Amino acid sequence: METLCGAVALLLLVSGCESATTAAAGGEEGTWRMVPGRSTQPLSEMRGGFLYTRGRGRCTPQFWSAREEAWPMMVPQEASVWKVFGSPALERYEPQLTVLEAMESNDDIDGSAFSQLVKQSSAALLNSYTREGFPYTPWEIKTLLLQALVSEEAATSQARCFADVNHACS
């Protein structure tokens, strides 16, 4: 049900949305919005704008790039990607690219496999230092990024894996 509402919400504007029905919101009368993880509220009580917002959990690249929490001292925001992950990263990334810039990139849909890899790997690295019980150690994350640089398929697969653990983390 949340998937259907998310798809509908992505396409509809609050101000002109009369087609989002209550069948998806528990059968109560009126037009409602549903956002996963949040309460429902009638459209009549909402301000104009898009219904869908991109999630920013406590472990995602979006969270870390917003600087809402202090970064660990082992990974300064201005550190170059190659200095954090190792010199083989220079094969795919510009020497000036910082970890913060890698996570700030807005290429979630059309971005290359390698930009997704460095974005998700950077967030995973910060999570490994700051989140107790994170499933990877910093050394594993660095090694897995370097191993995934061999092909787009490997980069896509590893980026997806890191994205999954980043979104599952709390």
Side-chain angles (χ1 to χ4, degrees), residues 56-134:
R56 287 184 24 177
R58 289 192 59 239
C59 301
T60 63
Q62 293 81 16
F63 172 81
W64 286 111
S65 64
R67 301 178 202 118
E68 294 178 12
E69 183 175 317
W71 283 35
M73 295 171 72
M74 291 72 73
V75 185
Q77 294 176 9
E78 65 278 355
S80 298
V81 166
W82 74 269
K83 288 183 179 178
V84 172
F85 289 101
S87 60
L90 287 169
E91 295 175 20
R92 299 284 182 187
Y93 306 110
E94 295 293 324
Q96 305 90 339
L97 180 66
T98 67
V99 175
L100 177 60
E101 290 169 340
M103 286 193 293
E104 284 179 331
S105 67
N106 193 14
D107 56 3
D108 291 340
I109 296 172
D110 294 329
S112 77
F114 299 107
S115 65
Q116 286 297 311
L117 175 64
V118 72
K119 183 176 193 170
Q120 295 297 335
S121 298
S122 297
L125 185 63
L126 294 173
N127 293 330
S128 70
Y129 283 120
T130 59
R131 307 292 189 251
E132 190 173 321
F134 193 75

Side-chain angles (χ1 to χ4, degrees), residues 11-62:
L11 299 173
L12 301 175
L13 288 173
V14 173
S15 59
C17 175
E18 296 302 324
S19 62
T21 65
T22 59
E28 297 179 26
E29 291 300 318
T31 305
W32 294 74
R33 92 169 180 179
M34 291 188 71
V35 177
R38 297 192 181 162
S39 64
T40 58
Q41 75 186 132
L43 288 176
S44 60
E45 296 177 14
M46 294 174 37
R47 290 181 270 154
F50 285 103
L51 293 173
Y52 178 80
T53 57
R54 193 161 91 180
R56 287 184 24 177
R58 289 192 59 239
C59 301
T60 63
Q62 293 81 16

